[in-house]
Amino acid sequence: EFELFCQPLVNARTRECVGVEILLRWNNPRQGWISPDVFIPLAEEHNLIVPLTRYVISETVRQIGYFPASRDFQIGINVAASHFRRATLIRDLNRIWFNASPVQQLIVELTERDALLDVDYRIVRELHRKGVKLAIDDFGTGNSSLSWLEKLHPDVLKIDKSFTTAIGTDAVNSTVTDIIIALGQRLNIELVAEGVETEEQSHYLRRHSVHILQGYLYA
Ligand code: MN
């Protein structure tokens, strides 16, 4: 009943698709489409988030032929912090992802809310060593600190949808958007804006050198 969907990551200037984020959707025969806002917390509560993520990784590998066979093509997979414990993620990636040796660039997306408490920094270093990029998801909504960003060394910050939505409408939050963009640039971390839905947001982000955009404006 679970299906994989891909949301394209788009080059802000050329509108070329430079990668995807893999998203899981639950199509239940009786209830219809069940929102991830409902089933992800349930899966976490029942210790099913790790097997569910394993399924996502396997299905992505099984369907890898759909994607451009390019080293520059990014494939983002959402991973829970609990998956980092006892190196489970490294073992799963070795067994499922690296065993199939896809050429595409794997990006592990970790939600900022989770990252601070649970993540073992040795696992993060091991991921980097294996050439996997680390993205901090929903950036701006958690309790980040500069020292934490320095320790984690993420390759990508994904600006939360709420800050994209604030562009041109919400003075306080759009100030935060500018600060996040400046922070990413200062620390030399790649920025991806999530939840881009209007041309105005897209223009603004492009003008402020956010190079990769994602949202319903594109797909
Ligand atoms: Mn994500």
Side-chain angles (χ1 to χ4, degrees):
E1 295 175 16
F2 287 98
E3 288 178 42
L4 263 52
F5 281 71
C6 299
Q7 189 169 44
L9 303 171
V10 172
N11 177 309
R13 208 168 32 79
T14 64
R15 291 198 165 216
E16 191 190 354
C17 174
V18 295
V20 288
E21 175 174 1
I22 309 287
L23 300 164
L24 191 64
R25 294 291 178 262
W26 184 4
N27 191 1
N28 181 273
R30 278 171 297 114
Q31 310 255 4
W33 291 100
I34 297 171
S35 163
D37 298 337
V38 174
F39 75 78
I40 298 294
L42 274 172
E44 280 179 337
E45 194 183 319
H46 294 275
N47 282 322
L48 289 170
I49 197 73
V50 168
L52 210 49
T53 304
R54 237 172 239 146
Y55 172 76
V56 172
I57 302 168
S58 308
E59 277 299 292
T60 304
V61 167
R62 195 176 66 79
Q63 302 183 58
I64 201 82
Y66 284 116
F67 302 119
S70 159
R71 209 171 280 283
D72 298 323
F73 193 82
Q74 312 184 351
I75 300 180
I77 291 180
N78 295 285
V79 174
S82 60
H83 210 147
F84 280 66
R85 271 182 229 137
R86 292 185 292 277
T88 314
L89 178 63
I90 303 286
R91 272 204 307 280
D92 286 343
L93 288 179
N94 281 339
R95 193 169 53 83
I96 310 167
W97 182 270
F98 290 110
N99 197 30
S101 17
V103 295
Q104 294 85 352
Q105 172 67 56
L106 176 63
I107 302 191
V108 163
E109 298 192 7
L110 176 68
T111 297
E112 189 189 22
R113 284 187 295 280
D114 288 350
L116 202 59
L117 289 173
D118 282 319
V119 169
D120 183 336
Y121 296 110
R122 282 170 304 183
I123 306 297
V124 174
R125 277 199 298 275
E126 178 68 10
L127 284 176
H128 278 142
R129 211 183 52 76
K130 296 175 99 50
V132 176
K133 285 189 178 178
L134 180 71
I136 301 304
D137 218 354
D138 309 327
F139 189 74
T141 59
N143 309 295
S144 22
S145 69
L146 288 175
S147 65
W148 170 78
L149 270 184
E150 232 167 20
K151 254 199 268 179
L152 209 57
H153 259 288
D155 304 278
V156 180
L157 295 180
K158 298 193 76 174
I159 303 168
D160 186 69
K161 181 181 191 304
S162 57
F163 299 110
T164 302
T165 308
I167 294 167
T169 61
D170 175 339
V172 174
N173 276 321
S174 64
T175 305
V176 179
T177 313
D178 292 344
I179 292 168
I180 290 173
I181 293 170
L183 180 68
Q185 286 162 350
R186 192 71 65 87
L187 295 175
N188 209 6
I189 303 174
E190 194 181 320
L191 290 163
V192 176
E194 297 182 306
V196 180
E197 293 184 352
T198 69
E199 287 293 348
E200 187 195 4
Q201 291 162 357
S202 153
H203 277 136
Y204 184 94
L205 290 160
R206 198 167 55 222
R207 259 207 331 277
H208 289 79
S209 303
V210 177
H211 300 300
I212 301 181
L213 311 179
Q214 177 181 354
Y216 291 142
L217 177 63
Y218 305 103

